Amino acid sequence: MAGSITTADSPEASTNKTLMSILFALSISHMLNDTIQALLPSIYPLLKTHFDLTFTQVGMITFVFQCTASLLQPIVGVYTDRRPLPYSLPVGMGITLCGLVVLARAPSYNWILVAAGLVGMGSSIFHPEASRLARLASGGRHGFAQSLFQVGGNFGSFLGPVCAAFVVMPYGQRNVLWFCALAFLAMLILGRVGNWYQEHLTVGVKQRGGKVAKLPSPYPRATVIRAMAVLIALIFSKYIYLVSLTNYYTFYLVARFGIGAQHAQLYLSIFLFAVAAGTFIGGPIGDRVGRKYVIWVSILGVAPFTWLLPEVNLFWAAVLSAIIGVVLASAFSAILVYGQELAPGRVGMIAGLFFGLAFGVAGIGSALLGRVADHIGIIRVFEFCRYLPLLGLLTAFLPNLDSRHQKTNTA
């Protein structure tokens, strides 16, 4: 694993050879992490029946998980920008492992909330630091590196419901313990990644007590603030709609078409597989044509399909959900790298902020959508959510960074 890293986001770092072994290790770890995360919403029908939960209580489980992750991620990112923690990744996965054990043996709804909080805490440590390492190992191909990292997570989100459908749903809550093996495997992989990171921290960073020097933004402060506000609004649009499908699509299919919960899980898996594919597409395209164009297409371009989804039969619902997954998922890597280009030297902070927002918005959205579903029904919720991609019109207010991007980020 040859290579030399000087700072968190320096020109020297960006010219190194892309370290595919590190990127694949991070992507696989992300897959394992998000398989575990996806397990929780995938067994909501089982938990709802076993503990006699309302939709509001189901939404609160996601709220606890997502908000635990979202509140801590920016803090972790800011701290590790200044003081890198090479072995924080396996520690975070260990906390996730504890959450799985609690979830498998939870005797009541309150203990499920505790388990959700532990899994969220583990994710809050994993995502910003793993995203930083993906950038360090990118060799200047930042969009490609983030997409490869993200696609592992989204493929894990696809595997979670599949595993839940065949391992947990038919046999009960205790079978969640089988997923502890995935967490342990991720800890081993991340330990090796931590060794690489420790070995490649520069002497200059060590002499400053582990602090990493900040790089000034090449853009005016007002431009950065305006662009960040637009990106936050786009994340809101993307993740509120995504959580409506991720957490409530199975309930929608059962209510609208009368299919069984286990059958509905397989339709959810089609959507999540499409999300994984779309994630990988967005980053490399952004490297070539610019992030802003990818953001335009992925947010606003999905609106016609979200509009049609509540109007079609089961077959076309599956087709449209796959299209929505591919198109909408291509946005996040582009948004993340766009933000990092606006604020160079603050890779961890931007990753933590955007991952944190994604988790937080999804958590709040899940709770609100659950409460609305209790009052007006899950089918009406999907009729309302189809308007959200229209917020993609805000992309017009993003500055065009393509010229600078093409000069500084060519491989």
Side-chain angles (χ1 to χ4, degrees), residues 195-256:
N195 290 339
W196 171 81
Y197 190 23
Q198 180 67 57
E199 292 170 1
H200 291 79
L201 288 172
T202 64
V203 174
V205 171
K206 292 178 180 178
Q207 288 177 343
R208 289 191 296 270
K211 294 184 179 180
V212 178
K214 292 183 180 179
L215 300 178
S217 174
Y219 307 101
R221 180 179 178 84
T223 298
V224 173
I225 292 174
R226 182 178 69 250
M228 288 295 180
V230 171
L231 294 177
I232 289 170
L234 295 178
I235 287 175
F236 171 86
S237 168
K238 169 184 166 64
Y239 279 96
I240 291 289
Y241 191 82
L242 275 180
V243 81
S244 73
L245 285 168
T246 304
N247 289 358
Y248 296 106
Y249 190 44
T250 53
F251 296 113
Y252 170 79
L253 294 176
V254 170
R256 176 97 192 276

Short mmCIF file of all heavy atoms in Angstrom, two decimals, residues 195-256:
data_model
loop_
_atom_site.label_atom_id
_atom_site.label_comp_id
_atom_site.label_asym_id
_atom_site.label_seq_id
_atom_site.Cartn_x
_atom_site.Cartn_y
_atom_site.Cartn_z
N ASN A 195 -4.10 1.01 10.49
CA ASN A 195 -2.65 0.84 10.43
C ASN A 195 -2.06 1.64 9.27
O ASN A 195 -1.02 2.30 9.41
CB ASN A 195 -2.29 -0.64 10.26
CG ASN A 195 -2.58 -1.45 11.51
OD1 ASN A 195 -2.68 -0.91 12.61
ND2 ASN A 195 -2.75 -2.75 11.35
N TRP A 196 -2.71 1.56 8.10
CA TRP A 196 -2.24 2.32 6.93
C TRP A 196 -2.28 3.82 7.20
O TRP A 196 -1.32 4.55 6.90
CB TRP A 196 -3.11 1.99 5.71
CG TRP A 196 -2.83 2.88 4.53
CD1 TRP A 196 -1.83 2.77 3.63
CD2 TRP A 196 -3.59 4.04 4.16
NE1 TRP A 196 -1.90 3.78 2.70
CE2 TRP A 196 -2.97 4.58 3.00
CE3 TRP A 196 -4.72 4.68 4.68
CZ2 TRP A 196 -3.46 5.73 2.37
CZ3 TRP A 196 -5.19 5.80 4.05
CH2 TRP A 196 -4.57 6.32 2.91
N TYR A 197 -3.36 4.29 7.78
CA TYR A 197 -3.51 5.73 8.06
C TYR A 197 -2.44 6.19 9.05
O TYR A 197 -1.82 7.24 8.87
CB TYR A 197 -4.91 5.99 8.59
CG TYR A 197 -5.28 7.45 8.71
CD1 TYR A 197 -4.66 8.43 7.96
CD2 TYR A 197 -6.29 7.84 9.58
CE1 TYR A 197 -5.02 9.76 8.06
CE2 TYR A 197 -6.67 9.16 9.70
CZ TYR A 197 -6.02 10.12 8.95
OH TYR A 197 -6.39 11.44 9.06
N GLN A 198 -2.21 5.40 10.08
CA GLN A 198 -1.20 5.75 11.07
C GLN A 198 0.19 5.84 10.43
O GLN A 198 0.96 6.77 10.70
CB GLN A 198 -1.19 4.71 12.19
CG GLN A 198 -0.17 4.97 13.30
CD GLN A 198 -0.52 6.22 14.09
OE1 GLN A 198 -1.61 6.34 14.65
NE2 GLN A 198 0.40 7.17 14.13
N GLU A 199 0.50 4.89 9.56
CA GLU A 199 1.82 4.87 8.92
C GLU A 199 2.03 6.04 7.97
O GLU A 199 3.16 6.46 7.75
CB GLU A 199 1.99 3.55 8.14
CG GLU A 199 2.09 2.33 9.03
CD GLU A 199 2.00 1.04 8.23
OE1 GLU A 199 1.89 1.12 6.98
OE2 GLU A 199 2.03 -0.04 8.85
N HIS A 200 0.96 6.58 7.40
CA HIS A 200 1.09 7.61 6.38
C HIS A 200 0.75 9.01 6.88
O HIS A 200 0.66 9.94 6.07
CB HIS A 200 0.23 7.24 5.17
CG HIS A 200 0.75 6.06 4.42
ND1 HIS A 200 0.56 4.76 4.85
CD2 HIS A 200 1.50 5.97 3.30
CE1 HIS A 200 1.14 3.92 4.01
NE2 HIS A 200 1.71 4.63 3.07
N LEU A 201 0.58 9.19 8.17
CA LEU A 201 0.51 10.54 8.70
C LEU A 201 1.91 11.16 8.62
O LEU A 201 2.90 10.53 8.98
CB LEU A 201 0.03 10.53 10.16
CG LEU A 201 -1.45 10.22 10.38
CD1 LEU A 201 -1.74 10.05 11.86
CD2 LEU A 201 -2.33 11.28 9.78
N THR A 202 2.03 12.37 8.15
CA THR A 202 3.34 12.96 7.91
C THR A 202 4.02 13.36 9.21
O THR A 202 3.40 13.60 10.24
CB THR A 202 3.23 14.20 7.03
OG1 THR A 202 2.47 15.18 7.74
CG2 THR A 202 2.56 13.89 5.71
N VAL A 203 5.34 13.51 9.12
CA VAL A 203 6.13 13.97 10.25
C VAL A 203 5.70 15.37 10.66
O VAL A 203 5.60 15.70 11.85
CB VAL A 203 7.63 13.96 9.90
CG1 VAL A 203 8.46 14.59 11.02
CG2 VAL A 203 8.10 12.56 9.59
N GLY A 204 5.36 16.22 9.67
CA GLY A 204 4.92 17.58 9.98
C GLY A 204 3.66 17.60 10.80
O GLY A 204 3.51 18.40 11.73
N VAL A 205 2.70 16.71 10.46
CA VAL A 205 1.47 16.64 11.23
C VAL A 205 1.76 16.18 12.65
O VAL A 205 1.26 16.71 13.63
CB VAL A 205 0.46 15.69 10.55
CG1 VAL A 205 -0.73 15.43 11.44
CG2 VAL A 205 0.00 16.29 9.23
N LYS A 206 2.64 15.16 12.79
CA LYS A 206 2.98 14.66 14.11
C LYS A 206 3.68 15.73 14.96
O LYS A 206 3.46 15.84 16.15
CB LYS A 206 3.87 13.43 13.98
CG LYS A 206 3.15 12.22 13.37
CD LYS A 206 4.10 11.04 13.22
CE LYS A 206 3.39 9.84 12.61
NZ LYS A 206 4.30 8.70 12.43
N GLN A 207 4.52 16.55 14.33
CA GLN A 207 5.25 17.58 15.08
C GLN A 207 4.32 18.66 15.59
O GLN A 207 4.63 19.35 16.56
CB GLN A 207 6.32 18.19 14.18
CG GLN A 207 7.50 17.25 13.93
CD GLN A 207 8.52 17.85 12.99
OE1 GLN A 207 8.23 18.82 12.28
NE2 GLN A 207 9.71 17.28 12.96
N ARG A 208 3.17 18.82 14.95
CA ARG A 208 2.19 19.79 15.45
C ARG A 208 1.21 19.15 16.42
O ARG A 208 0.13 19.67 16.66
CB ARG A 208 1.41 20.40 14.26
CG ARG A 208 2.25 21.32 13.40
CD ARG A 208 1.36 22.08 12.42
NE ARG A 208 0.72 21.19 11.47
CZ ARG A 208 1.24 20.85 10.31
NH1 ARG A 208 2.43 21.30 9.96
NH2 ARG A 208 0.60 20.04 9.49
N GLY A 209 1.58 18.00 16.96
CA GLY A 209 0.72 17.33 17.94
C GLY A 209 -0.49 16.70 17.33
O GLY A 209 -1.53 16.56 17.98
N GLY A 210 -0.41 16.29 16.05
CA GLY A 210 -1.55 15.65 15.39
C GLY A 210 -2.49 16.62 14.73
O GLY A 210 -3.50 16.24 14.17
N LYS A 211 -2.15 17.94 14.75
CA LYS A 211 -3.04 18.92 14.14
C LYS A 211 -2.77 19.02 12.65
O LYS A 211 -1.63 18.90 12.20
CB LYS A 211 -2.87 20.29 14.79
CG LYS A 211 -3.32 20.33 16.24
CD LYS A 211 -3.21 21.72 16.80
CE LYS A 211 -3.68 21.78 18.25
NZ LYS A 211 -3.58 23.14 18.82
N VAL A 212 -3.83 19.27 11.89
CA VAL A 212 -3.71 19.42 10.44
C VAL A 212 -3.98 20.87 10.09
O VAL A 212 -4.97 21.45 10.52
CB VAL A 212 -4.71 18.50 9.72
CG1 VAL A 212 -4.62 18.70 8.22
CG2 VAL A 212 -4.43 17.05 10.08
N ALA A 213 -3.11 21.46 9.29
CA ALA A 213 -3.28 22.86 8.91
C ALA A 213 -4.50 23.05 8.03
O ALA A 213 -4.80 22.23 7.17
CB ALA A 213 -2.03 23.34 8.17
N LYS A 214 -5.21 24.17 8.24
CA LYS A 214 -6.37 24.49 7.43
C LYS A 214 -5.93 25.20 6.15
O LYS A 214 -4.96 25.94 6.13
CB LYS A 214 -7.35 25.39 8.20
CG LYS A 214 -8.03 24.69 9.37
CD LYS A 214 -9.01 25.64 10.02
CE LYS A 214 -9.72 24.98 11.19
NZ LYS A 214 -10.67 25.90 11.85
N LEU A 215 -6.65 24.98 5.07
CA LEU A 215 -6.41 25.67 3.82
C LEU A 215 -7.54 26.66 3.60
O LEU A 215 -8.71 26.33 3.80
CB LEU A 215 -6.35 24.68 2.66
CG LEU A 215 -5.26 23.60 2.74
CD1 LEU A 215 -5.37 22.67 1.55
CD2 LEU A 215 -3.88 24.23 2.81
N PRO A 216 -7.23 27.90 3.18
CA PRO A 216 -8.29 28.88 2.95
C PRO A 216 -9.12 28.52 1.74
O PRO A 216 -8.63 27.94 0.77
CB PRO A 216 -7.51 30.18 2.73
CG PRO A 216 -6.18 29.74 2.20
CD PRO A 216 -5.89 28.43 2.89
N SER A 217 -10.41 28.90 1.76
CA SER A 217 -11.27 28.67 0.61
C SER A 217 -10.92 29.66 -0.49
O SER A 217 -10.68 30.84 -0.21
CB SER A 217 -12.74 28.82 1.00
OG SER A 217 -13.56 28.73 -0.14
N PRO A 218 -10.88 29.21 -1.74
CA PRO A 218 -10.61 30.14 -2.85
C PRO A 218 -11.83 30.96 -3.25
O PRO A 218 -11.75 31.77 -4.17
CB PRO A 218 -10.19 29.20 -3.99
CG PRO A 218 -10.93 27.94 -3.72
CD PRO A 218 -10.99 27.81 -2.21
N TYR A 219 -12.95 30.80 -2.55
CA TYR A 219 -14.18 31.47 -2.92
C TYR A 219 -14.59 32.46 -1.83
O TYR A 219 -14.29 32.27 -0.64
CB TYR A 219 -15.30 30.44 -3.12
CG TYR A 219 -14.91 29.36 -4.09
CD1 TYR A 219 -14.51 28.11 -3.63
CD2 TYR A 219 -14.89 29.60 -5.46
CE1 TYR A 219 -14.12 27.11 -4.51
CE2 TYR A 219 -14.50 28.61 -6.35
CZ TYR A 219 -14.11 27.36 -5.86
OH TYR A 219 -13.71 26.40 -6.74
N PRO A 220 -15.28 33.57 -2.21
CA PRO A 220 -15.74 34.54 -1.22
C PRO A 220 -16.64 33.89 -0.17
O PRO A 220 -17.39 32.95 -0.47
CB PRO A 220 -16.51 35.56 -2.06
CG PRO A 220 -15.98 35.40 -3.45
CD PRO A 220 -15.62 33.96 -3.59
N ARG A 221 -16.60 34.41 1.04
CA ARG A 221 -17.36 33.85 2.14
C ARG A 221 -18.87 33.81 1.84
O ARG A 221 -19.54 32.83 2.12
CB ARG A 221 -17.10 34.67 3.41
CG ARG A 221 -17.84 34.17 4.65
CD ARG A 221 -17.51 35.03 5.86
NE ARG A 221 -18.24 34.61 7.03
CZ ARG A 221 -17.87 33.63 7.85
NH1 ARG A 221 -16.75 32.97 7.59
NH2 ARG A 221 -18.58 33.30 8.91
N ALA A 222 -19.37 34.89 1.23
CA ALA A 222 -20.80 34.95 0.91
C ALA A 222 -21.18 33.87 -0.09
O ALA A 222 -22.26 33.26 0.00
CB ALA A 222 -21.16 36.33 0.36
N THR A 223 -20.29 33.60 -1.05
CA THR A 223 -20.55 32.55 -2.04
C THR A 223 -20.62 31.18 -1.37
O THR A 223 -21.49 30.37 -1.67
CB THR A 223 -19.45 32.55 -3.11
OG1 THR A 223 -19.47 33.81 -3.79
CG2 THR A 223 -19.66 31.42 -4.12
N VAL A 224 -19.68 30.95 -0.45
CA VAL A 224 -19.65 29.67 0.25
C VAL A 224 -20.91 29.48 1.08
O VAL A 224 -21.54 28.41 1.06
CB VAL A 224 -18.39 29.57 1.14
CG1 VAL A 224 -18.43 28.32 2.00
CG2 VAL A 224 -17.13 29.58 0.28
N ILE A 225 -21.33 30.52 1.81
CA ILE A 225 -22.51 30.42 2.67
C ILE A 225 -23.76 30.17 1.83
O ILE A 225 -24.60 29.31 2.17
CB ILE A 225 -22.66 31.70 3.52
CG1 ILE A 225 -21.51 31.80 4.54
CG2 ILE A 225 -24.01 31.71 4.23
CD1 ILE A 225 -21.50 33.10 5.32
N ARG A 226 -23.91 30.91 0.73
CA ARG A 226 -25.09 30.73 -0.12
C ARG A 226 -25.12 29.33 -0.72
O ARG A 226 -26.16 28.66 -0.73
CB ARG A 226 -25.09 31.77 -1.24
CG ARG A 226 -26.33 31.67 -2.13
CD ARG A 226 -26.35 32.75 -3.21
NE ARG A 226 -25.32 32.54 -4.22
CZ ARG A 226 -24.25 33.30 -4.36
NH1 ARG A 226 -24.04 34.33 -3.53
NH2 ARG A 226 -23.36 33.05 -5.30
N ALA A 227 -23.98 28.86 -1.20
CA ALA A 227 -23.93 27.53 -1.80
C ALA A 227 -24.21 26.45 -0.77
O ALA A 227 -24.92 25.47 -1.05
CB ALA A 227 -22.56 27.30 -2.44
N MET A 228 -23.68 26.60 0.45
CA MET A 228 -23.93 25.61 1.50
C MET A 228 -25.41 25.58 1.85
O MET A 228 -25.97 24.50 2.09
CB MET A 228 -23.09 25.93 2.74
CG MET A 228 -21.62 25.66 2.59
SD MET A 228 -21.27 23.90 2.37
CE MET A 228 -19.48 23.95 2.22
N ALA A 229 -26.07 26.73 1.89
CA ALA A 229 -27.50 26.77 2.20
C ALA A 229 -28.30 26.02 1.13
O ALA A 229 -29.24 25.28 1.44
CB ALA A 229 -27.97 28.22 2.30
N VAL A 230 -27.93 26.20 -0.15
CA VAL A 230 -28.61 25.48 -1.22
C VAL A 230 -28.38 23.99 -1.11
O VAL A 230 -29.31 23.18 -1.24
CB VAL A 230 -28.14 26.00 -2.59
CG1 VAL A 230 -28.69 25.12 -3.72
CG2 VAL A 230 -28.59 27.44 -2.81
N LEU A 231 -27.13 23.59 -0.84
CA LEU A 231 -26.82 22.17 -0.70
C LEU A 231 -27.61 21.53 0.44
O LEU A 231 -28.07 20.40 0.33
CB LEU A 231 -25.32 21.97 -0.48
CG LEU A 231 -24.40 22.36 -1.65
CD1 LEU A 231 -22.94 22.20 -1.25
CD2 LEU A 231 -24.72 21.54 -2.89
N ILE A 232 -27.76 22.26 1.53
CA ILE A 232 -28.53 21.75 2.67
C ILE A 232 -29.99 21.55 2.27
O ILE A 232 -30.62 20.54 2.62
CB ILE A 232 -28.40 22.71 3.87
CG1 ILE A 232 -26.99 22.62 4.46
CG2 ILE A 232 -29.45 22.39 4.94
CD1 ILE A 232 -26.68 23.69 5.49
N ALA A 233 -30.55 22.50 1.52
CA ALA A 233 -31.94 22.37 1.06
C ALA A 233 -32.09 21.16 0.14
O ALA A 233 -33.09 20.43 0.20
CB ALA A 233 -32.38 23.64 0.34
N LEU A 234 -31.10 20.92 -0.71
CA LEU A 234 -31.16 19.77 -1.62
C LEU A 234 -31.05 18.46 -0.86
O LEU A 234 -31.71 17.48 -1.20
CB LEU A 234 -30.04 19.88 -2.66
CG LEU A 234 -30.15 21.08 -3.62
CD1 LEU A 234 -28.95 21.11 -4.56
CD2 LEU A 234 -31.44 21.03 -4.42
N ILE A 235 -30.22 18.44 0.18
CA ILE A 235 -30.13 17.24 1.02
C ILE A 235 -31.47 16.98 1.71
O ILE A 235 -31.92 15.84 1.82
CB ILE A 235 -29.00 17.39 2.05
CG1 ILE A 235 -27.64 17.27 1.34
CG2 ILE A 235 -29.11 16.35 3.17
CD1 ILE A 235 -26.45 17.52 2.24
N PHE A 236 -32.12 18.06 2.15
CA PHE A 236 -33.45 17.93 2.75
C PHE A 236 -34.41 17.25 1.77
O PHE A 236 -35.10 16.28 2.12
CB PHE A 236 -33.97 19.32 3.14
CG PHE A 236 -35.41 19.34 3.58
CD1 PHE A 236 -35.74 19.08 4.89
CD2 PHE A 236 -36.43 19.62 2.67
CE1 PHE A 236 -37.08 19.10 5.30
CE2 PHE A 236 -37.76 19.63 3.06
CZ PHE A 236 -38.08 19.37 4.39
N SER A 237 -34.46 17.75 0.55
CA SER A 237 -35.36 17.18 -0.46
C SER A 237 -35.04 15.71 -0.72
O SER A 237 -35.94 14.86 -0.73
CB SER A 237 -35.23 17.98 -1.76
OG SER A 237 -35.86 17.31 -2.84
N LYS A 238 -33.77 15.43 -0.93
CA LYS A 238 -33.35 14.08 -1.28
C LYS A 238 -33.67 13.09 -0.18
O LYS A 238 -34.24 12.02 -0.42
CB LYS A 238 -31.84 14.07 -1.58
CG LYS A 238 -31.21 12.69 -1.70
CD LYS A 238 -29.71 12.81 -1.91
CE LYS A 238 -28.99 11.50 -1.69
NZ LYS A 238 -29.35 10.45 -2.64
N TYR A 239 -33.32 13.42 1.06
CA TYR A 239 -33.41 12.43 2.13
C TYR A 239 -34.80 12.29 2.73
O TYR A 239 -35.14 11.23 3.25
CB TYR A 239 -32.34 12.69 3.20
CG TYR A 239 -31.02 12.14 2.75
CD1 TYR A 239 -30.09 12.94 2.12
CD2 TYR A 239 -30.73 10.79 2.90
CE1 TYR A 239 -28.89 12.42 1.65
CE2 TYR A 239 -29.54 10.25 2.45
CZ TYR A 239 -28.62 11.08 1.83
OH TYR A 239 -27.46 10.54 1.37
N ILE A 240 -35.61 13.33 2.68
CA ILE A 240 -37.01 13.16 3.09
C ILE A 240 -37.69 12.17 2.15
O ILE A 240 -38.42 11.26 2.57
CB ILE A 240 -37.76 14.49 3.13
CG1 ILE A 240 -37.24 15.38 4.26
CG2 ILE A 240 -39.25 14.24 3.32
CD1 ILE A 240 -37.59 14.91 5.65
N TYR A 241 -37.43 12.34 0.84
CA TYR A 241 -38.06 11.42 -0.11
C TYR A 241 -37.48 10.01 0.02
O TYR A 241 -38.22 9.02 -0.02
CB TYR A 241 -37.92 11.91 -1.55
CG TYR A 241 -38.79 11.10 -2.48
CD1 TYR A 241 -40.13 11.39 -2.62
CD2 TYR A 241 -38.29 10.00 -3.17
CE1 TYR A 241 -40.97 10.63 -3.43
CE2 TYR A 241 -39.10 9.23 -3.98
CZ TYR A 241 -40.44 9.54 -4.11
OH TYR A 241 -41.26 8.78 -4.88
N LEU A 242 -36.17 9.92 0.18
CA LEU A 242 -35.55 8.61 0.33
C LEU A 242 -36.07 7.86 1.55
O LEU A 242 -36.32 6.66 1.51
CB LEU A 242 -34.03 8.74 0.42
CG LEU A 242 -33.25 8.80 -0.89
CD1 LEU A 242 -31.76 8.92 -0.60
CD2 LEU A 242 -33.52 7.59 -1.77
N VAL A 243 -36.25 8.58 2.67
CA VAL A 243 -36.71 7.90 3.89
C VAL A 243 -38.15 7.45 3.74
O VAL A 243 -38.56 6.45 4.35
CB VAL A 243 -36.51 8.80 5.13
CG1 VAL A 243 -37.63 9.83 5.28
CG2 VAL A 243 -36.43 7.96 6.40
N SER A 244 -38.93 8.16 2.92
CA SER A 244 -40.31 7.72 2.70
C SER A 244 -40.33 6.34 2.04
O SER A 244 -41.18 5.50 2.34
CB SER A 244 -41.07 8.73 1.84
OG SER A 244 -40.65 8.70 0.49
N LEU A 245 -39.37 6.10 1.15
CA LEU A 245 -39.28 4.80 0.50
C LEU A 245 -38.57 3.78 1.38
O LEU A 245 -39.02 2.64 1.53
CB LEU A 245 -38.55 4.94 -0.84
CG LEU A 245 -39.37 5.57 -1.97
CD1 LEU A 245 -38.48 5.93 -3.14
CD2 LEU A 245 -40.48 4.64 -2.42
N THR A 246 -37.44 4.16 1.95
CA THR A 246 -36.65 3.21 2.73
C THR A 246 -37.43 2.66 3.92
O THR A 246 -37.38 1.47 4.21
CB THR A 246 -35.36 3.89 3.23
OG1 THR A 246 -34.64 4.40 2.10
CG2 THR A 246 -34.48 2.90 3.98
N ASN A 247 -38.15 3.52 4.62
CA ASN A 247 -38.81 3.11 5.87
C ASN A 247 -40.28 2.75 5.71
O ASN A 247 -40.82 2.01 6.52
CB ASN A 247 -38.68 4.22 6.92
CG ASN A 247 -37.27 4.35 7.43
OD1 ASN A 247 -36.38 3.59 7.05
ND2 ASN A 247 -37.04 5.32 8.30
N TYR A 248 -40.95 3.28 4.68
CA TYR A 248 -42.40 3.11 4.60
C TYR A 248 -42.87 2.48 3.29
O TYR A 248 -44.07 2.26 3.12
CB TYR A 248 -43.11 4.46 4.81
CG TYR A 248 -42.86 5.03 6.18
CD1 TYR A 248 -42.01 6.11 6.37
CD2 TYR A 248 -43.47 4.48 7.31
CE1 TYR A 248 -41.77 6.63 7.62
CE2 TYR A 248 -43.24 4.99 8.57
CZ TYR A 248 -42.39 6.06 8.73
OH TYR A 248 -42.15 6.57 9.98
N TYR A 249 -41.95 2.19 2.39
CA TYR A 249 -42.34 1.60 1.11
C TYR A 249 -43.02 0.25 1.29
O TYR A 249 -44.00 -0.07 0.61
CB TYR A 249 -41.10 1.47 0.21
CG TYR A 249 -41.38 1.10 -1.23
CD1 TYR A 249 -42.42 1.70 -1.95
CD2 TYR A 249 -40.58 0.16 -1.88
CE1 TYR A 249 -42.66 1.36 -3.28
CE2 TYR A 249 -40.81 -0.17 -3.21
CZ TYR A 249 -41.85 0.43 -3.90
OH TYR A 249 -42.07 0.09 -5.21
N THR A 250 -42.50 -0.56 2.22
CA THR A 250 -43.13 -1.87 2.45
C THR A 250 -44.56 -1.71 2.95
O THR A 250 -45.47 -2.43 2.50
CB THR A 250 -42.31 -2.69 3.46
OG1 THR A 250 -42.10 -1.92 4.65
CG2 THR A 250 -40.96 -3.08 2.88
N PHE A 251 -44.78 -0.77 3.88
CA PHE A 251 -46.12 -0.53 4.39
C PHE A 251 -47.04 -0.02 3.27
O PHE A 251 -48.22 -0.38 3.19
CB PHE A 251 -46.09 0.48 5.53
CG PHE A 251 -45.34 0.01 6.74
CD1 PHE A 251 -44.15 0.61 7.12
CD2 PHE A 251 -45.82 -1.03 7.52
CE1 PHE A 251 -43.45 0.19 8.24
CE2 PHE A 251 -45.13 -1.47 8.64
CZ PHE A 251 -43.94 -0.86 9.00
N TYR A 252 -46.49 0.83 2.40
CA TYR A 252 -47.26 1.36 1.27
C TYR A 252 -47.70 0.23 0.33
O TYR A 252 -48.86 0.16 -0.07
CB TYR A 252 -46.42 2.39 0.52
CG TYR A 252 -47.01 2.82 -0.81
CD1 TYR A 252 -48.05 3.75 -0.86
CD2 TYR A 252 -46.52 2.30 -2.01
CE1 TYR A 252 -48.59 4.13 -2.08
CE2 TYR A 252 -47.04 2.69 -3.23
CZ TYR A 252 -48.08 3.61 -3.26
OH TYR A 252 -48.61 3.98 -4.46
N LEU A 253 -46.76 -0.66 0.00
CA LEU A 253 -47.08 -1.76 -0.91
C LEU A 253 -48.12 -2.70 -0.31
O LEU A 253 -49.03 -3.17 -1.00
CB LEU A 253 -45.81 -2.53 -1.26
CG LEU A 253 -44.76 -1.78 -2.08
CD1 LEU A 253 -43.52 -2.64 -2.27
CD2 LEU A 253 -45.32 -1.35 -3.43
N VAL A 254 -47.99 -2.97 0.99
CA VAL A 254 -48.97 -3.83 1.67
C VAL A 254 -50.35 -3.18 1.65
O VAL A 254 -51.37 -3.83 1.35
CB VAL A 254 -48.52 -4.12 3.12
CG1 VAL A 254 -49.64 -4.81 3.90
CG2 VAL A 254 -47.25 -4.99 3.13
N ALA A 255 -50.40 -1.86 1.98
CA ALA A 255 -51.69 -1.16 2.04
C ALA A 255 -52.30 -0.97 0.65
O ALA A 255 -53.51 -1.12 0.47
CB ALA A 255 -51.50 0.20 2.71
N ARG A 256 -51.49 -0.66 -0.34
CA ARG A 256 -52.01 -0.33 -1.67
C ARG A 256 -52.34 -1.58 -2.48
O ARG A 256 -53.36 -1.63 -3.19
CB ARG A 256 -50.95 0.50 -2.42
CG ARG A 256 -51.34 0.83 -3.86
CD ARG A 256 -51.94 2.22 -3.98
NE ARG A 256 -52.55 2.40 -5.29
CZ ARG A 256 -51.89 2.77 -6.38
NH1 ARG A 256 -50.59 2.98 -6.31
NH2 ARG A 256 -52.52 2.93 -7.51
#
